[in-house]
Amino acid sequence: EISYVDWFGSVILSRSKGYRMPVFPYLVVAKYDLKEKNSNGRSSIDTAIAVDTSGSMDGPRIQVARKSGLATSALMRELNPKNNTYLAHYNYQVYPTTPQEFLNIRANGGTATHLALDWLIETLAVNGPAIAYLVTDGAPDNLDAAIKSAKKFRDHPYLMLRIFLIDGDEGTEANIRKIGKAAGHKTKVVPIKGYQLDQGMIKDVSECIDQMYDIDQF
Protein backbone atom coordinates (compact mmCIF):
# COMPACT_ATOMS: atom_id res chain seq x y z
CA GLU A 1 0.00 0.00 0.00
CA ILE A 2 3.00 2.33 0.21
CA SER A 3 2.35 3.43 -3.38
CA TYR A 4 -0.99 4.90 -2.30
CA VAL A 5 0.17 6.92 0.69
CA ASP A 6 -1.19 10.46 0.78
CA TRP A 7 1.98 12.21 1.91
CA PHE A 8 0.35 15.59 2.53
CA GLY A 9 -2.26 14.08 4.82
CA SER A 10 0.37 11.90 6.46
CA VAL A 11 2.51 14.93 7.33
CA ILE A 12 -0.42 16.57 9.12
CA LEU A 13 -1.42 13.39 10.94
CA SER A 14 2.16 12.53 11.95
CA ARG A 15 2.81 16.06 13.21
CA SER A 16 -0.37 15.90 15.25
CA LYS A 17 1.17 12.85 16.94
CA GLY A 18 4.44 14.63 17.68
CA TYR A 19 6.54 13.56 14.68
CA ARG A 20 7.93 16.10 12.22
CA MET A 21 8.10 13.62 9.33
CA PRO A 22 5.42 11.07 8.37
CA VAL A 23 5.97 7.78 10.18
CA PHE A 24 4.16 4.46 10.47
CA PRO A 25 1.44 3.92 11.65
CA TYR A 26 0.39 7.52 11.00
CA LEU A 27 0.24 7.18 7.22
CA VAL A 28 -2.95 8.14 5.42
CA VAL A 29 -3.57 5.54 2.73
CA ALA A 30 -6.16 5.57 -0.04
CA LYS A 31 -6.73 2.09 -1.47
CA TYR A 32 -7.48 2.01 -5.18
CA ASP A 33 -9.28 -0.51 -7.32
CA LEU A 34 -6.87 -0.81 -10.25
CA LYS A 35 -9.68 -1.98 -12.55
CA GLU A 36 -12.15 0.74 -11.68
CA LYS A 37 -9.51 3.44 -11.18
CA ASN A 38 -11.54 4.75 -8.25
CA SER A 39 -10.53 5.39 -4.68
CA ASN A 40 -12.28 3.33 -2.02
CA GLY A 41 -10.60 5.04 0.92
CA ARG A 42 -10.00 8.47 2.38
CA SER A 43 -6.81 10.27 1.48
CA SER A 44 -7.63 13.61 3.11
CA ILE A 45 -8.10 14.99 6.61
CA ASP A 46 -11.09 17.16 7.46
CA THR A 47 -10.51 20.28 9.52
CA ALA A 48 -12.91 22.49 11.47
CA ILE A 49 -11.89 25.85 12.91
CA ALA A 50 -13.91 27.69 15.58
CA VAL A 51 -12.72 31.24 16.25
CA ASP A 52 -13.61 33.18 19.41
CA THR A 53 -15.08 36.57 18.44
CA SER A 54 -16.44 37.56 21.86
CA GLY A 55 -16.04 41.03 23.33
CA SER A 56 -12.81 40.14 25.13
CA MET A 57 -11.21 39.48 21.74
CA ASP A 58 -11.56 43.12 20.65
CA GLY A 59 -8.44 44.94 19.43
CA PRO A 60 -5.26 43.11 18.36
CA ARG A 61 -6.63 39.78 19.55
CA ILE A 62 -9.40 39.66 16.96
CA GLN A 63 -6.90 40.50 14.26
CA VAL A 64 -4.59 37.66 15.18
CA ALA A 65 -7.56 35.30 15.66
CA ARG A 66 -8.85 36.19 12.20
CA LYS A 67 -5.40 35.58 10.73
CA SER A 68 -5.12 32.25 12.57
CA GLY A 69 -8.44 30.98 11.30
CA LEU A 70 -8.01 32.04 7.68
CA ALA A 71 -4.35 31.02 7.40
CA THR A 72 -4.97 27.61 8.96
CA SER A 73 -7.85 27.02 6.56
CA ALA A 74 -5.70 28.03 3.59
CA LEU A 75 -2.79 25.92 4.80
CA MET A 76 -4.91 22.78 4.98
CA ARG A 77 -6.26 23.33 1.47
CA GLU A 78 -2.75 23.93 0.17
CA LEU A 79 -1.49 20.70 1.72
CA ASN A 80 -4.23 18.77 -0.05
CA PRO A 81 -7.06 20.26 -2.15
CA LYS A 82 -9.23 17.31 -1.10
CA ASN A 83 -9.17 18.42 2.54
CA ASN A 84 -12.61 19.58 3.68
CA THR A 85 -12.23 22.69 5.84
CA TYR A 86 -15.07 24.15 7.92
CA LEU A 87 -14.94 27.60 9.49
CA ALA A 88 -17.10 29.21 12.19
CA HIS A 89 -16.90 32.00 14.72
CA TYR A 90 -18.61 32.12 18.08
CA ASN A 91 -19.70 34.44 20.88
CA TYR A 92 -23.10 33.66 22.43
CA GLN A 93 -23.68 31.15 19.62
CA VAL A 94 -21.72 29.42 16.87
CA TYR A 95 -22.00 30.87 13.38
CA PRO A 96 -20.64 28.84 10.43
CA THR A 97 -19.17 31.28 7.95
CA THR A 98 -17.17 31.66 4.77
CA PRO A 99 -13.66 33.15 4.65
CA GLN A 100 -15.06 36.19 2.83
CA GLU A 101 -17.72 36.81 5.46
CA PHE A 102 -15.25 36.18 8.25
CA LEU A 103 -13.11 39.12 7.17
CA ASN A 104 -15.80 41.52 8.38
CA ILE A 105 -16.58 39.88 11.73
CA ARG A 106 -16.29 42.18 14.75
CA ALA A 107 -15.65 41.17 18.35
CA ASN A 108 -18.69 41.39 20.64
CA GLY A 109 -20.87 39.35 22.97
CA GLY A 110 -20.17 36.48 25.31
CA THR A 111 -17.99 33.39 25.03
CA ALA A 112 -19.90 30.11 24.64
CA THR A 113 -16.80 27.94 24.33
CA HIS A 114 -18.80 24.82 25.16
CA LEU A 115 -20.97 25.37 22.07
CA ALA A 116 -17.86 25.85 19.93
CA LEU A 117 -16.43 22.55 21.15
CA ASP A 118 -19.75 20.82 20.50
CA TRP A 119 -19.80 22.24 16.96
CA LEU A 120 -16.27 21.01 16.28
CA ILE A 121 -17.22 17.48 17.33
CA GLU A 122 -20.55 17.45 15.47
CA THR A 123 -18.88 18.74 12.30
CA LEU A 124 -16.00 16.26 12.23
CA ALA A 125 -17.00 13.12 14.12
CA VAL A 126 -18.73 11.32 11.24
CA ASN A 127 -15.56 10.93 9.16
CA GLY A 128 -12.12 9.46 9.82
CA PRO A 129 -9.05 11.27 11.21
CA ALA A 130 -9.78 14.96 11.59
CA ILE A 131 -8.31 18.02 13.28
CA ALA A 132 -10.37 20.48 15.35
CA TYR A 133 -8.92 23.95 15.92
CA LEU A 134 -10.17 26.23 18.69
CA VAL A 135 -8.87 29.81 18.47
CA THR A 136 -9.54 31.74 21.69
CA ASP A 137 -8.18 33.96 24.44
CA GLY A 138 -9.13 31.26 26.95
CA ALA A 139 -11.88 33.08 28.85
CA PRO A 140 -15.14 31.07 28.50
CA ASP A 141 -18.32 32.33 30.14
CA ASN A 142 -18.86 28.90 31.69
CA LEU A 143 -15.65 26.97 32.30
CA ASP A 144 -17.44 23.93 33.74
CA ALA A 145 -19.61 23.65 30.62
CA ALA A 146 -16.52 23.96 28.40
CA ILE A 147 -14.78 21.18 30.33
CA LYS A 148 -17.87 18.98 30.03
CA SER A 149 -18.00 19.51 26.25
CA ALA A 150 -14.26 18.91 25.92
CA LYS A 151 -14.63 15.49 27.54
CA LYS A 152 -16.71 14.41 24.53
CA PHE A 153 -13.51 14.33 22.47
CA ARG A 154 -12.56 11.20 24.38
CA ASP A 155 -15.41 9.39 22.62
CA HIS A 156 -13.76 10.16 19.26
CA PRO A 157 -10.15 8.92 19.37
CA TYR A 158 -9.41 9.98 15.76
CA LEU A 159 -10.56 13.55 16.37
CA MET A 160 -7.62 15.70 17.52
CA LEU A 161 -8.09 19.03 19.33
CA ARG A 162 -5.63 21.87 18.73
CA ILE A 163 -5.97 25.13 20.66
CA PHE A 164 -4.56 28.51 19.63
CA LEU A 165 -4.37 30.51 22.88
CA ILE A 166 -4.25 34.19 21.92
CA ASP A 167 -2.38 36.48 24.33
CA GLY A 168 -3.03 34.29 27.36
CA ASP A 169 -2.18 35.05 30.97
CA GLU A 170 -1.86 32.90 34.09
CA GLY A 171 -5.63 32.60 34.49
CA THR A 172 -6.51 31.80 30.89
CA GLU A 173 -3.60 29.39 30.56
CA ALA A 174 -5.03 27.52 33.56
CA ASN A 175 -8.43 27.43 31.83
CA ILE A 176 -6.92 25.98 28.67
CA ARG A 177 -5.06 23.33 30.65
CA LYS A 178 -8.36 22.21 32.19
CA ILE A 179 -10.18 22.19 28.85
CA GLY A 180 -7.31 20.50 27.02
CA LYS A 181 -6.78 17.79 29.63
CA ALA A 182 -10.52 17.12 29.69
CA ALA A 183 -10.34 16.48 25.93
CA GLY A 184 -7.49 14.00 26.39
CA HIS A 185 -3.72 13.72 26.38
CA LYS A 186 -3.55 14.07 22.57
CA THR A 187 -4.61 17.73 22.82
CA LYS A 188 -1.98 20.27 21.81
CA VAL A 189 -1.74 24.02 22.45
CA VAL A 190 -0.18 26.85 20.44
CA PRO A 191 0.33 29.82 22.81
CA ILE A 192 0.63 33.15 20.99
CA LYS A 193 1.85 35.80 23.41
CA GLY A 194 1.40 39.53 23.02
CA TYR A 195 5.07 40.04 22.18
CA GLN A 196 4.63 37.73 19.18
CA LEU A 197 1.96 39.93 17.66
CA ASP A 198 3.16 42.16 14.86
CA GLN A 199 0.45 44.82 14.51
CA GLY A 200 -2.06 42.16 15.45
CA MET A 201 -0.95 39.60 12.86
CA ILE A 202 0.82 36.25 13.03
CA LYS A 203 3.85 36.37 10.76
CA ASP A 204 3.85 32.66 9.92
CA VAL A 205 1.00 30.42 11.02
CA SER A 206 2.65 27.26 9.68
CA GLU A 207 5.64 27.99 11.94
CA CYS A 208 3.33 28.45 14.93
CA ILE A 209 1.69 25.09 14.25
CA ASP A 210 5.14 23.50 14.43
CA GLN A 211 5.52 24.95 17.96
CA MET A 212 2.66 23.06 19.58
CA TYR A 213 2.85 21.93 23.19
CA ASP A 214 1.42 18.66 24.41
CA ILE A 215 -1.30 19.50 26.91
CA ASP A 216 0.49 17.55 29.63
CA GLN A 217 3.55 19.78 29.16
CA PHE A 218 1.77 23.11 28.69
Side-chain angles (χ1 to χ4, degrees), residues 3-4 30-40:
S3 300
Y4 305 126
K31 297 181 180 179
Y32 290 85
D33 185 325
L34 297 180
K35 295 181 180 180
E36 298 295 334
K37 305 293 185 181
N38 292 322
S39 170
N40 295 321

Side-chain angles (χ1 to χ4, degrees), residues 52-59 62 66 91 104-109:
D52 182 351
T53 55
S54 63
S56 63
M57 293 289 290
D58 196 19
I62 191 64
R66 184 181 292 118
N91 45 48
N104 299 317
I105 298 300
R106 296 181 179 274
N108 66 82

Side-chain angles (χ1 to χ4, degrees), residues 39-54:
S39 170
N40 295 321
R42 285 178 56 80
S43 60
S44 60
I45 297 180
D46 289 349
T47 302
I49 306 161
V51 182
D52 182 351
T53 55
S54 63

Side-chain angles (χ1 to χ4, degrees), residues 71-88:
T72 301
S73 176
L75 176 64
M76 293 301 295
R77 289 197 304 271
E78 181 181 347
L79 288 173
N80 187 345
K82 295 181 180 179
N83 287 335
N84 294 315
T85 304
Y86 307 92
L87 179 64

